[in-house]
Amino acid sequence: SKPKTFNAYRILEPLAGDCLLITSGPVREFAGPVHLDLDFEGYCSLLYAANVTVTLPQFAEGWSRIGHESLICGTPVIGNGKGGMKELLESTHQLVFTEDEPGRLIAAVKDIIASGKRVCREDRLYARTFDFDYFGKQWEKVVRGALFEKTAPLQTPTKTF
């Protein structure tokens, strides 16, 4: 199977002469962009310094960690919106992209780089609300709703026998 970063790199490869494409993580998956093996602090510094984060997961993630962390750092995000990512991107005014539109992705990346656009304060604050406390409270609501769901009141018969 193809590494998860392959599709993004394949689409963005025409930009390689104009900008630096970087991947990070413990394992270099394929020859292509510059790869950095960073600790968490270095990873966050990379997200903060980046012009844009492009994330195109191949399956529906429950939440896009790299998208979320990039938004908190103020870095614009372009993603395919699979899973919980779509809500995050749409709620913070980011671009949801499908892989069948490579020209649109390349144009959007070029536009973000040229404009120097960053994520606005309001959207960064919105992204910050999704922390462990938030997800814990949401899970508690789900469990309480499932365990203590009210049943519909019994209907009084309209006919007498």
Side-chain angles (χ1 to χ4, degrees):
S1 76
K2 294 178 186 171
K4 61 186 173 184
T5 54
F6 179 79
N7 282 347
Y9 179 71
R10 179 185 51 78
I11 294 168
L12 296 172
E13 191 171 19
L15 296 175
D18 299 325
C19 61
L20 186 59
L21 303 175
I22 300 173
T23 62
S24 68
V27 178
R28 182 176 178 85
E29 297 178 328
F30 64 98
V34 173
H35 179 81
L36 303 174
D37 185 8
L38 304 169
D39 61 14
F40 186 71
E41 186 175 330
Y43 166 76
C44 290
S45 296
L46 172 63
L47 292 180
Y48 182 80
N51 294 99
V52 61
T53 297
V54 177
T55 177
L56 306 174
Q58 301 304 302
F59 60 93
E61 299 176 307
W63 194 251
S64 174
R65 180 178 163 200
I66 190 169
H68 187 206
E69 291 168 338
S70 294
L71 290 168
I72 290 171
C73 290
T75 301
V77 177
I78 300 172
N80 61 11
K82 289 188 179 176
M85 181 196 311
K86 185 173 184 180
E87 175 188 350
L88 179 65
L89 296 181
E90 288 178 345
S91 297
T92 55
H93 311 97
Q94 305 302 300
L95 179 64
V96 178
F97 156 84
T98 59
E99 283 112 80
D100 61 345
E101 307 171 290
R104 183 170 170 244
L105 175 61
I106 290 171
V109 168
K110 284 181 176 182
D111 180 59
I112 290 170
I113 292 171
S115 71
K117 175 186 171 189
R118 300 298 286 175
V119 176
C120 72
R121 182 176 187 278
E122 180 181 297
D123 289 342
R124 286 193 322 270
L125 291 174
Y126 175 81
R128 289 184 73 147
T129 63
F130 294 94
D131 58 12
F132 285 112
D133 289 336
Y134 170 84
F135 286 114
K137 289 174 185 170
Q138 289 303 107
W139 178 243
E140 187 176 312
K141 284 182 187 177
V142 169
V143 171
R144 285 186 185 277
L147 294 177
F148 303 109
E149 190 174 77
K150 294 180 179 178
T151 57
L154 294 174
Q155 298 290 324
T156 305
T158 55
K159 292 184 180 181
T160 55
F161 298 96

